[in-house]
């Protein structure tokens, strides 16, 4: 089992920045990919960014150039630096970790961007 705890959400004005952090505990040796997803009210959960154990990254087109995902395998953490935030980035952001057999989710952290 893997437990994920997110932190760093909050309220920010458009154009501002936030940094989300996710700490994994438990069977962290089994984790391959880690990532951030988000879900806005009335919408489906969507990928924001993910990073492999080796450091390969993928980003949603909507956040490319604004968000940066990073990972510390020694500390079992994954961060999401969010710059130039827009009101449409408002959502609950979830950390996800995947192993060969399972996927694990954090409890989510709210990000609200005011116009």
């Amino acid at each position: 089992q893997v437990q994920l705890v997110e932190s760093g959400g909050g309220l920010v004005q458009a154009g501002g920045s936030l940094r989300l952090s996710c700490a994994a505990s438990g069977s962290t040796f089994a984790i391959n990919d880690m990532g951030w997803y988000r879900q806005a009210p009335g919408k489906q959960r969507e990928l924001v960014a993910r990073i492999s154990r080796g450091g390969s990254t993928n980003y949603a087109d909507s956040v490319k150039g604004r968000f940066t995902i990073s990972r510390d395998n020694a500390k079992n953490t994954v961060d999401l630096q969010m710059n130039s935030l827009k009101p449409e980035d408002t959502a609950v952001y979830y950390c996800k970790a995947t192993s060969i057999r399972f996927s694990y989710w954090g409890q989510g952290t709210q990000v609200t961007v005011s116009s």
Side-chain angles (χ1 to χ4, degrees), residues 1-6 21-29 31 34 71-78 95-97 104:
Q1 282 281 18
V2 172
Q3 295 78 42
L4 302 172
V5 177
E6 301 113 331
S21 295
C22 174
S25 61
S27 301
T28 57
F29 62 89
I31 296 174
M34 297 188 76
R71 177 173 178 172
D72 187 327
N73 291 328
K75 296 181 179 180
N76 298 308
T77 58
V78 60
C95 178
K96 181 182 180 182
Y104 305 92

Side-chain angles (χ1 to χ4, degrees), residues 8-20 66-67 80-86 89 111-113:
L11 173 65
V12 65
Q13 288 188 330
S17 299
L18 281 175
R19 187 176 184 89
L20 304 183
R66 300 188 298 124
F67 291 11
L80 185 68
Q81 177 65 43
M82 305 186 292
N83 299 327
S84 302
L85 282 160
K86 304 175 181 179
D89 294 318
V111 171
T112 303
V113 184

Side-chain angles (χ1 to χ4, degrees), residues 11-105:
L11 173 65
V12 65
Q13 288 188 330
S17 299
L18 281 175
R19 187 176 184 89
L20 304 183
S21 295
C22 174
S25 61
S27 301
T28 57
F29 62 89
I31 296 174
N32 294 323
D33 290 354
M34 297 188 76
W36 289 93
Y37 290 69
R38 66 187 181 188
Q39 188 166 17
K43 295 187 177 182
Q44 289 188 330
R45 192 173 297 188
E46 63 176 3
L47 171 71
V48 176
R50 64 181 167 212
I51 184 167
S52 71
R53 179 171 284 274
S56 298
T57 58
N58 295 97
Y59 293 92
D61 288 343
S62 60
V63 307
K64 283 181 181 177
R66 300 188 298 124
F67 291 11
T68 302
I69 191 169
S70 60
R71 177 173 178 172
D72 187 327
N73 291 328
K75 296 181 179 180
N76 298 308
T77 58
V78 60
D79 292 346
L80 185 68
Q81 177 65 43
M82 305 186 292
N83 299 327
S84 302
L85 282 160
K86 304 175 181 179
E88 50 264 43
D89 294 318
T90 295
V92 178
Y93 283 68
Y94 297 91
C95 178
K96 181 182 180 182
T98 58
S99 66
I100 292 177
R101 297 182 61 190
F102 302 107
S103 293
Y104 305 92
W105 293 91

